[in-house]
Amino acid sequence: MNRQHKPIPRLLAALACAVLLAGCAVGPDYKPPQTPTPKAWATQAAGPESPTPASLAQWWTAFGDPVLTSLVERAVQSNLDVKLAASRVRQARAARGVAASAFGPGLNASAAYSRNQNGTASSANTYQAGFDAAWELDLFGATRRSVEAADAEITAAVENQRDALVTLAAEVARNYVELRASQQQLAIAQRNLKTQQRTLELTRQRFESGFVSGLDVADATAQVAATLAEIPQIESAARQSVYAISVLLGQPPAALLEELSAAADIPSAPPGVPAGLPSDLLRRRPDIRSAEASLHAATAQIGVATADLFPKLTLSGALGWQSDDTHSLFRESSRSWSIGPSISWPIFQSGRILSNIEVQKALQEQSFISYQQTVLNALQEVENALIASSKEQERRKALIEAAAASQKSLDLATQLYSQGQTDFLNVLVSQRSLFSAEQALVQNTKNISTNLVALYKALGGGWSETPQPVAAR
């Protein structure tokens, strides 16, 4: 290249920078949605007004159950849904790199060889080598809007990963509570079965002695059989809970049978319910944050589509060599070059560009509606958990009294029946009442804990700003 031509590319580069800096990004600028929320929850919960981020990040530790804590922490490291979400974060970040690459020029290298002959002339070799470059200037912000959308998609992917952690912790805790409840129910059923079997034996003795009819024996036998029929169903529920926990930990269903087979108490809920304020949900729940990020991305895509209405300025250049032999290929006489700008402007596209803009606007509208629906669902989930927790607490005192009264009634009925002072129907009714009352009390204990798990999930608990590392494979 001649020395006097060197200022030309510098001048074009300076012109490109000036145009780029002066360019504007078309399309609407994103503005966070203004979402009204209630000032307080309909059900007032006892507890701190606003839970701290630390208390929500590892809320399962509030139950004071080391097995539960261990299961959740292991699940965070090995759960496949969390790994899948982490992979999607990496995908979104790579996609952002693809979008941002449009800011810079493209450079291609080429080389070719051909052997040619025209008519009777002798054949000749042709050797070619060169570089060509092109740089489309982002005059109207198509690339900037694409990168903006990609950044928002990264945010959405990160929030979806956090939402996976929220769901995971809640599912592990819920299944663990249900496992312990099934084990407690199984113990109650087996204890009542032994009582009923002793009553059956007493009834048979009284029948053989002629004190009662065969009807009492039949009723006692039926009661034992009914209780026996419930035990396999409870055992099945307990086994299925173990299977669910194992899969949540990324392991085969039976992997935790030995570890979790021994019965233990239902993890008790802490007394305070940290509900916080409704407005806290917008900042805490990952699904709401993800929905807002998706709205941001959809808004930026309108700008990408709008930029197609405007001209595109491209700076291109080429440098090449051509010769009939390799020895002279890279000499000054074999070299050629070109540089210059080009403009393209879509004049008529049969409405394609305008229709695409309308498509993007409709997608943005759908994203906004989805965001609103996500907020409403979140508010409903918290309200449901609060009212369910409150009412279960109200039931507990009555259920405790019912279980104690049923036990006293059975003891008295059995004593009177053995002395021949009452009929078997009273014993039968007392046995059924006690079994039902004890099972209801276990169910109530389970519900109180699972309702608190649901509340923590509804509040977006289970993640921190600095997420724990998750293995990719």
Side-chain angles (χ1 to χ4, degrees), residues 191-257:
R191 185 171 64 250
N192 278 270
L193 177 62
K194 290 180 180 179
T195 300
Q196 294 163 10
Q197 287 173 334
R198 288 196 298 268
T199 303
L200 173 59
E201 183 61 27
L202 174 62
T203 304
R204 283 176 176 162
Q205 293 174 0
R206 290 178 60 76
F207 170 72
E208 291 170 357
S209 300
F211 294 116
V212 298
S213 68
L215 178 60
D216 287 357
V217 177
D219 286 340
T221 303
Q223 179 69 6
V224 169
T227 303
L228 276 171
E230 290 198 25
I231 289 176
Q233 188 176 11
I234 300 172
E235 291 173 333
S236 174
R239 183 66 66 88
Q240 289 172 3
S241 295
V242 175
Y243 292 162
I245 295 171
S246 299
V247 172
L248 287 170
L249 267 65
Q251 300 183 40
L256 299 179
L257 279 177

Side-chain angles (χ1 to χ4, degrees), residues 87-109:
S87 178
R88 286 172 176 158
V89 172
R90 293 190 291 272
Q91 175 189 345
R93 287 174 177 157
R96 198 266 185 196
V98 173
S101 67
F103 278 126
L107 177 64
N108 299 308

Side-chain angles (χ1 to χ4, degrees), residues 155-372:
T155 300
V158 169
E159 296 303 337
N160 287 336
Q161 181 185 9
R162 290 168 172 171
D163 193 47
L165 291 172
V166 169
T167 301
L168 172 64
E171 283 300 296
V172 171
R174 182 182 62 82
N175 280 282
Y176 180 76
V177 169
E178 290 181 351
L179 167 64
R180 296 314 189 194
S182 295
Q183 291 173 339
Q184 293 295 310
Q185 290 173 332
L186 180 61
I188 290 171
Q190 291 172 338
R191 185 171 64 250
N192 278 270
L193 177 62
K194 290 180 180 179
T195 300
Q196 294 163 10
Q197 287 173 334
R198 288 196 298 268
T199 303
L200 173 59
E201 183 61 27
L202 174 62
T203 304
R204 283 176 176 162
Q205 293 174 0
R206 290 178 60 76
F207 170 72
E208 291 170 357
S209 300
F211 294 116
V212 298
S213 68
L215 178 60
D216 287 357
V217 177
D219 286 340
T221 303
Q223 179 69 6
V224 169
T227 303
L228 276 171
E230 290 198 25
I231 289 176
Q233 188 176 11
I234 300 172
E235 291 173 333
S236 174
R239 183 66 66 88
Q240 289 172 3
S241 295
V242 175
Y243 292 162
I245 295 171
S246 299
V247 172
L248 287 170
L249 267 65
Q251 300 183 40
L256 299 179
L257 279 177
E258 182 177 354
E259 178 181 349
L260 298 177
S261 60
D265 293 337
I266 301 172
S268 57
V273 182
L277 300 173
S279 58
D280 294 338
L281 282 185
L282 305 185
R283 298 185 296 269
R284 182 68 200 179
R285 280 206 29 157
D287 57 341
I288 295 178
R289 292 156 62 112
S290 175
E292 184 181 349
S294 296
L295 174 60
H296 188 170
T299 303
Q301 289 294 345
I302 298 176
V304 176
T306 304
D308 288 339
L309 290 171
F310 299 91
K312 301 181 185 300
L313 174 62
T314 303
L315 299 179
S316 59
L319 174 64
W321 295 268
Q322 181 172 319
S323 177
D324 56 3
D325 64 79
T326 56
H327 297 291
S328 61
L329 178 60
F330 293 103
R331 293 178 180 175
E332 184 78 17
S333 59
S334 302
R335 185 174 61 187
S336 63
W337 63 271
S338 66
I339 188 170
S342 63
I343 296 178
S344 63
W345 196 344
I347 302 299
F348 180 71
Q349 298 290 328
S350 299
R352 180 187 65 83
I353 296 176
L354 293 176
S355 296
N356 187 39
I357 293 173
E358 291 303 313
V359 167
Q360 300 305 321
K361 287 181 178 179
L363 290 174
Q364 186 219 29
E365 180 183 13
Q366 294 167 30
S367 294
F368 179 62
I369 294 172
S370 296
Y371 170 80
Q372 291 178 308

